[in-house]
C-alpha cells in the first residue's frame, strides 16, 4: 500500500518499489507509531477534524492493531512500502475508508522522526540498564579481590604493582561515562518533532507541546524544517554505542589474554566459552573475542550514517531512509553482547596465586627508588638516573632490586641506603599510592563504594525516565 500516487497516471516499476521498500526494517517502529497515532487521533477529534463517533471507532481499531502487532498476528505484507503504510492498511481493513482519516495534519516526515526518537529513548534506557548490570558484575569481582596485588602494565610491559581490584574497577569507571553519555543524549534529544508536517508545520497540530508531553518528551523542537531534517539524535546514539563498544572491546581483549595459558589469570565458565570442532582440549573465550569484533561493527555503523548525512540539503530527503538500519543493527547487537559479557565476568574465577606471582617482575619496583630519593630532595631527573642504574646493575648480576648490597646502593648514589630495601616490596608500593584515585587498598574500596552509590542513583533515573514514557512504550 502506498500513501501517495494521486497525481501519477501509472503505477511504480517493480525496481522502484523494491528500492523504496523500507518496511522490512522500519517495522520495528510499529509499536511506537501506534502510540503516536492514538495521541494524534485524540488531537484530531478535539479539533473536530474527525467526529467523536469516528474517533471512537478508530481508537478501538488502533488499540486492537497494537495488540495484534505485539502478538505477531498483524504484520507487514509484500505490498506495504513502509511501517506507516502497513499500519494505515491495517486500519482500513478494520474501518474501511475511515482508516485514511488518521493521516490528516501530519506527514511521514514528522511521524518517522517521532517514532524513531521514541524507539531510541526506549532502547537506550535498556542499554543503560544492561550496562548497570555489567558494572555490578565487575564490582562483584572487584570486591572479592581488594587485597590481591597484580603487576600493572603499560605498553604491555611490567610497570608498577597495583591492586587487582583497581585493575578491574577501571572498567566500571569507563562504563559509568557511557551511561552519562546516554543520559546527556536523553536531555538533548527528548524533544518532539511532531507537528512539523512535511517541513512547514501543521494547521491541525496547534499545540505540539501537549502532544510532546503526552508522548513522554521533555519539549518540542523549535524549527519545523530542522525537525524533519535532523538526524543528530541518531548519530549521537550511534556514537554512544560505538564508544561503549570500544570499552567492551578492551574488556574483551583483557579477558582473552588473562584466560590464555601464558597468563592463566582467569578461568572462564563452561557456560560462557566454546570449544573447537577439531581440537578437543580447547576452551575459547568467544564472548570476549566477539566483544572485540563487534566494536568494528558499531564504529562502521556510526561512520555509515555520518557519510549519508554529509552534504544533504535541509528538509526531508529520501537518503534518510538509510538512517535506521545502522541504528537498529547497533542497538540489537549491543543488547546481544552486554548480557553475555556480564555473565562471563560474573561467573569467572580468578587465579590469585598466578596474578600475584609476578607483581614485582620486570623491576616494577624501580620507581620506589626514584621516589625515595625525590623525598630526600634529590632532583627527580637525578633520582630517575640512579634508579635506572640500579636496574642495570641488577640485570648485569642476575639479581633483584632488594638484593642490592649497601655498598652497591651507595656506589650508585650517596643518598641510597639500606633503608630503601624496606620499601622494595609490592605491599609498600601499593600502600603508598593512597590518593583518591590511587591503587592503595583503602582508596580502591572508597572508589568502589562511590561507584555503588552512582549505580543506585542511575537505576533510579532510568526508572523515572521509563515512567515518563507513555502507554504501550515500555
Amino acid at each position: 500500500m502506498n500513501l501517495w500516487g494521486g497525481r501519477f497516471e501509472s503505477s511504480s516499476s517493480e525496481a522502484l518499489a523494491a528500492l523504496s521498500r523500507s518496511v522490512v526494517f522500519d517495522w520495528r517502529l510499529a509499536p511506537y507509531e501506534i502510540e503516536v497515532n492514538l495521541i494524534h487521533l485524540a488531537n484530531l477529534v478535539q479539533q473536530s477534524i474527525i467526529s467523536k463517533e469516528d474517533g471512537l471507532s478508530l481508537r478501538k481499531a488502533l488499540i486492537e492493531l497494537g495488540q495484534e502487532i505485539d502478538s505477531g498476528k498483524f504484520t507487514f505484507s509484500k505490498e506495504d512500502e513502509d511501517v506507516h503504510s502497513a499500519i494505515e492498511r491495517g486500519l482500513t481493513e478494520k474501518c474501511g475508508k475511515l482508516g485514511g482519516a488518521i493521516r490528516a495534519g501530519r506527514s511521514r516526515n514528522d511521524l518517522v522522526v517521532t517514532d524513531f526518537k521514541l524507539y531510541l529513548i526506549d532502547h537506550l534506557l535498556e542499554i543503560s540498564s544492561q550496562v548497570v548490570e555489567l558494572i555490578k558484575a565487575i564490582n562483584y569481582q572487584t570486591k572479592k579481590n581488594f587485597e590481591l596485588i597484580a603487576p600493572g602494565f603499560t605498553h604491555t610491559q611490567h610497570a608498577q604493582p597495583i591492586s587487582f581490584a583497581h585493575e578491574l574497577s577501571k572498567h566500571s569507571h569507563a562504563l559509568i561515562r557511557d551511561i552519562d553519555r546516554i543520559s546527556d543524549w536523553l536531555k538533548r534529544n527528548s524533544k518532539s518533532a511532531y507537528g512539523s508536517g512535511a517541513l512547514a508545520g501543521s494547521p491541525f497540530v496547534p499545540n505540539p507541546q501537549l502532544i510532546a508531553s503526552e508522548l513522554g518528551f521533555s519539549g518540542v523542537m523549535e524549527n519545523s524544517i530542522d525537525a524533519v531534517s535532523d538526524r543528530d539524535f541518531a548519530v549521537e546514539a550511534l556514537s554512544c554505542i560505538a564508544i561503549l563498544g570500544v570499552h567492551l572491546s578492551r574488556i574483551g581483549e583483557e579477558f582473552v589474554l588473562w584466560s590464555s595459558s601464558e597468563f592463566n589469570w582467569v578461568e572462564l565458565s563452561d557456560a560462557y566459552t566454546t570449544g573447537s570442532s577439531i581440537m578437543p582440549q580447547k576452551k575459547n573465550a568467544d564472548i570476549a573475542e566477539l566483544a572485540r569484533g563487534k566494536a568494528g561493527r558499531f564504529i562502521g555503523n556510526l561512520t555509515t550514517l555520518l557519510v549519508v548525512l554529509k552534504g544533504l540539503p535541509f528538509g526531508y530527503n529520501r537518503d534518510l531512509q538509510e538512517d535506521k538500519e545502522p541504528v537498529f543493527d547497533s542497538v540489537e547487537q549491543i543488547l546481544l553482547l552486554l548480557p553475555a559479557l556480564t555473565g562471563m565476568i560474573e561467573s569467572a574465577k580468578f587465579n590469585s596465586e598466578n596474578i600475584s606471582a609476578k607483581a614485582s617482575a620486570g623491576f616494577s619496583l624501580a620507581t620506589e627508588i626514584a621516589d625515595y630519593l625525590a623525598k630526600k630532595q634529590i632532583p627527580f631527573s637525578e633520582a630517575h638516573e640512579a634508579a635506572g642504574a640500579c636496574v642495570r646493575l641488577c640485570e648485569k648480576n642476575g639479581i633483584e632490586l632488594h638484593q642490592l648490597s649497601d655498598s652497591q646502593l651507595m656506589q650508585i648514589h650517596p643518598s641510597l641506603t639500606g633503608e630503601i630495601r624496606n620499601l622494595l616490596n609490592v605491599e609498600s608500593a601499593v600502600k603508598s599510592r593512597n590518593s583518591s584515585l590511587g591503587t592503595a587498598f583503602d582508596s580502591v574500596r572508597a572508589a568502589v563504594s562511590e561507584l555503588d552509590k552512582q549505580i543506585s542513583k542511575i537505576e533510579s533515573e532510568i526508572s523515572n525516565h521509563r515512567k515518563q514514557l507513555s502507554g504501550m512504550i515500555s
Side-chain angles (χ1 to χ4, degrees):
M1 176 179 177
N2 288 332
L3 301 183
W4 50 272
R7 60 93 66 211
F8 290 85
E9 293 183 357
S10 60
S11 59
S12 302
S13 69
E14 289 185 12
L16 171 63
L19 181 62
S20 296
R21 194 166 184 254
S22 62
V23 69
V24 291
F25 54 84
D26 66 22
W27 186 244
R28 293 166 176 83
L29 302 178
Y32 307 94
E33 178 135 338
I34 293 292
E35 182 71 10
V36 175
N37 275 330
L38 283 166
I39 291 172
H40 180 62
L41 172 62
N43 168 62
L44 293 178
V45 170
Q46 186 179 21
Q47 296 182 75
S48 300
I49 306 299
I50 294 176
S51 70
K52 289 182 180 180
E53 183 180 357
D54 287 345
L56 287 172
S57 298
L58 284 167
R59 177 176 173 80
K60 181 173 182 276
L62 277 169
I63 290 171
E64 287 178 359
L65 198 57
Q67 292 167 345
E68 290 170 6
I69 288 168
D70 285 346
S71 69
K73 182 179 178 181
F74 180 84
T75 188
F76 58 88
S77 74
K78 62 182 180 180
E79 287 80 25
D80 295 322
E81 181 182 14
D82 53 30
V83 62
H84 320 297
S85 58
I87 286 176
E88 189 165 319
R89 173 178 59 81
L91 271 181
T92 56
E93 287 173 359
K94 291 179 179 294
C95 302
K97 288 185 179 180
L98 179 61
I102 195 74
R103 206 190 307 169
R106 66 155 204 231
S107 164
R108 288 185 294 180
N109 296 0
D110 61 347
L111 182 57
V112 73
V113 175
T114 307
D115 294 350
F116 201 10
K117 281 191 172 183
L118 289 172
Y119 167 90
L120 273 171
I121 291 169
D122 192 12
H123 285 77
L124 286 176
L125 286 171
E126 179 58 24
I127 290 169
S128 288
S129 183
Q130 291 292 334
V131 174
V132 164
E133 295 306 310
L134 177 56
I135 295 171
K136 286 180 178 178
I138 294 169
N139 288 358
Y140 165 74
Q141 294 289 7
T142 296
K143 291 168 186 176
K144 291 169 65 176
N145 291 284
F146 271 134
E147 297 192 8
L148 175 61
I149 297 177
F153 297 87
T154 63
H155 307 278
T156 66
Q157 305 293 319
H158 284 255
Q160 291 177 281
I162 57 171
S163 157
F164 190 58
H166 200 49
E167 181 78 44
L168 288 172
S169 64
K170 70 180 186 285
H171 295 302
S172 295
H173 293 285
L175 293 168
I176 285 283
R177 292 196 299 275
D178 291 313
I179 296 174
D180 284 344
R181 267 183 281 275
I182 291 174
S183 180
D184 288 342
W185 184 97
L186 288 165
K187 291 173 187 172
R188 186 163 37 256
N189 294 298
S190 185
K191 288 191 173 183
S192 173
Y194 211 74
S196 300
L199 85 162
S202 170
F204 297 159
V205 186
N207 191 352
Q209 289 80 9
L210 178 61
I211 290 179
S213 175
E214 290 175 338
L215 286 169
F217 288 106
S218 62
V220 177
M221 294 190 74
E222 292 81 7
N223 182 290
S224 60
I225 303 173
D226 177 49
V228 298
S229 308
D230 172 46
R231 293 300 184 275
D232 291 358
F233 66 92
V235 172
E236 274 195 72
L238 286 175
S239 177
C240 290
I241 294 171
I243 296 169
L244 169 59
V246 168
H247 289 153
L248 301 184
S249 176
R250 297 179 79 176
I251 293 172
E253 168 66 5
E254 283 194 343
F255 275 80
V256 168
L257 290 174
W258 291 352
S259 63
S260 68
S261 299
E262 285 70 25
F263 268 78
N264 194 19
W265 280 17
V266 65
E267 181 181 353
L268 301 178
S269 166
D270 288 358
Y272 293 95
T273 51
T274 66
S276 165
S277 61
I278 189 172
M279 296 171 285
Q281 83 282 7
K282 293 298 293 297
K283 188 175 183 181
N284 300 326
D286 278 17
I287 290 172
E289 291 174 356
L290 285 166
R292 288 187 316 202
K294 288 190 183 295
R297 191 164 172 174
F298 301 139
I299 295 165
N301 285 334
L302 170 60
T303 304
T304 294
L305 185 52
L306 284 169
V307 175
V308 168
L309 296 175
K310 174 190 167 295
L312 279 188
F314 275 78
Y316 184 82
N317 299 274
R318 195 57 183 270
D319 312 52
L320 294 176
Q321 180 173 300
E322 299 299 313
D323 63 352
K324 295 167 201 67
E325 287 181 283
V327 171
F328 294 150
D329 183 65
S330 285
V331 166
E332 289 165 11
Q333 291 302 312
I334 202 79
L335 287 173
L336 271 178
L337 177 58
L338 283 164
L341 200 59
T342 298
M344 184 195 78
I345 292 173
E346 191 172 44
S347 60
K349 294 180 180 178
F350 291 98
N351 188 334
S352 57
E353 194 172 311
N354 285 354
I355 291 171
S356 62
K358 293 188 176 181
S360 63
F363 302 104
S364 66
L365 294 168
T367 306
E368 307 311 302
I369 297 174
D371 287 351
Y372 171 81
L373 290 172
K375 288 175 182 177
K376 290 179 172 288
Q377 299 185 344
I378 306 299
F380 193 78
S381 56
E382 184 180 331
H384 187 280
E385 286 292 320
C390 289
V391 172
R392 188 166 60 249
L393 183 59
C394 286
E395 287 180 322
K396 183 178 179 180
N397 291 286
I399 60 175
E400 295 296 324
L401 290 169
H402 68 275
Q403 294 174 313
L404 288 169
S405 67
D406 288 359
S407 61
Q408 287 172 319
L409 290 168
M410 291 289 288
Q411 184 180 353
I412 289 169
H413 196 283
S415 295
L416 275 178
T417 68
E419 178 187 26
I420 187 62
R421 281 191 288 273
N422 296 325
L423 304 177
L424 294 178
N425 61 81
V426 294
E427 291 80 8
S428 176
V430 169
K431 186 178 180 180
S432 68
R433 271 72 184 178
N434 58 3
S435 70
S436 61
L437 52 71
T439 192
F441 301 145
D442 288 345
S443 298
V444 178
R445 281 194 182 91
V448 172
S449 176
E450 183 59 32
L451 279 170
D452 287 339
K453 292 176 185 176
Q454 289 182 58
I455 285 298
S456 294
K457 182 181 178 184
I458 287 166
E459 287 182 311
S460 176
E461 289 172 352
I462 291 172
S463 177
N464 289 336
H465 275 299
R466 282 178 164 160
K467 286 175 184 175
Q468 289 174 17
L469 296 176
S470 58
M472 297 167 63
I473 303 166
S474 60

